[in-house]
Amino acid sequence: MTSLDKPTEDTQQDDARTVTEAALFEAFGGVRGMVETVLPGLLFVTIYTINKDLHMSAIAALAVSLVLVVVRLAMKDTVKHAFSGVFGVAFGVVFAMMTGNAKDFYLPGMLYTLGLSLAYIITTLCGVPLLGLILGPVFKENLSWRTRNPGRKKAYAKASWAWGLILLGKCAILFPLYWWADTTQLGWVLVALKIPPFLLAVWLTWVFLAKAPAPIDVFAEMEAEEKEAAAKEAAAKEGAEAGGRHRRDA
C-alpha cells in the first residue's frame, strides 16, 4: 500500500459511513420522527397524571398526533412516520375507551413492540433478517445482499439480532408493569423507554453496517444494462440499415 492509497481508502470509508448515517436517518425518521413518537404518549400520561381524565388525555394525544401530520403535509415532507404515530395513538384510544382502563391506551403499542421484536429474531433465524428487508431499498440494493453480498447479510443479521433483543428486553420491563403498576407509573416508564433503546439499536446498526461491504446499487446496474441493451439495439439497427444500403448500391 502506497502513501497515496491510504487517503483514498479512508475517504471511501468515510463516504460509506456518511451514506449509512443518511440512510438510517431517513429510514427511522431522525429527530422529528422521535418527537412524533414520544409526544402523544407524553401528553397522555401528563394530563392523566394531573386530572385522571381518560377522555381528555386520549383526545389530547390523538389531537397532537393529527397536528403533527398536518405540519408534515404543510411542509410537504414525508408523512409515513407521523401517520404511523396517528394509527398507533388511535388504536390506543379505541382500546382504552372500550375497556375504560387507561392502561389499555399503551397496550397496542406494547403488543406491536413484542411482535416486532419476534419478527426481527424469527426472520434472522430464517436467513432473511428483517432489517435487510427494511434498509435494502433505502440503500438501493434491494435483496442483492442475500446472495451477492454475504458481508452485508451478516451485518444485517447482527443488527436485526440487536433490534430484536433490545425490543424484547423493553417488553420484559413493560408487560409486568402493565399488570402490576398503575397507569401513571406505566406511562412514565414507557415514555422513558421510548428513546434510549431506539438510539442504542440505531447506533449498533450503524456500527455493524459501517464496517460491512458497500451495498450493490442494483438500480444503477439495471440502468447500465438498459443503456447497454439500447446501445446494442441501436448498433444492430444501424448495421441492418447499412447492409440494406449496401445491397441497394450493389
Side-chain angles (χ1 to χ4, degrees):
M1 180 183 294
T2 66
S3 58
L4 295 176
D5 292 332
K6 187 71 165 81
T8 302
E9 292 180 3
D10 287 345
T11 301
Q12 290 175 346
Q13 189 175 23
D14 290 341
D15 289 343
R17 289 179 176 177
T18 300
V19 170
T20 300
E21 290 172 4
L24 291 177
F25 194 88
E26 175 186 344
F28 298 115
V31 175
R32 184 185 294 182
M34 288 188 286
V35 171
E36 292 168 345
T37 299
V38 172
L39 190 56
L42 177 61
L43 188 59
F44 179 91
V45 70
T46 301
I47 295 176
Y48 192 82
T49 299
I50 294 171
N51 61 18
K52 306 299 181 185
D53 189 325
L54 170 59
H55 291 77
M56 182 182 294
S57 303
I59 291 172
L62 186 58
V64 76
S65 298
L66 292 172
V67 168
L68 293 172
V69 171
V70 171
V71 170
R72 287 264 190 180
L73 290 172
M75 298 179 66
K76 297 181 180 180
D77 201 352
T78 178
V79 296
K80 61 181 180 180
H81 299 289
F83 266 130
S84 64
V86 168
F87 288 129
V89 172
F91 277 118
V93 169
V94 170
F95 267 60
M97 293 295 188
M98 288 177 59
T99 64
N101 184 353
K103 285 197 290 187
D104 287 340
F105 172 80
Y106 304 110
L107 187 57
M110 292 166 57
L111 292 173
Y112 173 78
T113 300
L114 178 60
L116 188 60
S117 68
L118 295 177
Y120 276 117
I121 293 171
I122 292 171
T123 55
T124 305
L125 290 174
C126 292
V128 192
L130 180 59
L131 202 65
L133 301 178
I134 295 172
L135 294 181
V138 177
F139 284 109
K140 300 180 180 181
E141 60 181 334
N142 284 352
L143 296 179
S144 63
W145 51 267
R146 288 196 62 199
T147 56
R148 301 173 56 192
N149 206 338
R152 284 191 73 78
K153 181 178 180 180
K154 185 177 180 180
Y156 281 136
K158 289 181 179 179
S160 293
W161 273 115
W163 278 92
L165 295 176
I166 288 171
L167 293 179
L168 200 60
K170 181 177 175 180
C171 291
I173 296 172
L174 294 178
F175 276 95
L177 288 176
Y178 174 80
W179 295 109
W180 300 331
D182 61 31
T183 300
T184 55
Q185 290 171 335
L186 173 63
W188 286 113
V189 171
L190 196 147
V191 168
L193 289 179
K194 280 283 187 180
I195 299 302
F198 172 81
L199 291 180
L200 175 60
V202 170
W203 178 74
L204 289 173
T205 301
W206 178 84
V207 169
F208 295 138
L209 291 182
K211 296 179 181 179
I216 299 171
D217 191 336
V218 295
F219 296 106
E221 288 183 344
M222 287 189 292
E223 185 178 352
E225 289 174 0
E226 290 175 357
K227 288 182 179 179
E228 184 179 356
K232 288 181 179 179
E233 183 179 351
K237 184 177 180 180
E238 184 179 350
E241 292 175 350
R245 287 195 300 269
H246 177 71
R247 285 193 296 272
R248 286 195 299 269
D249 292 343

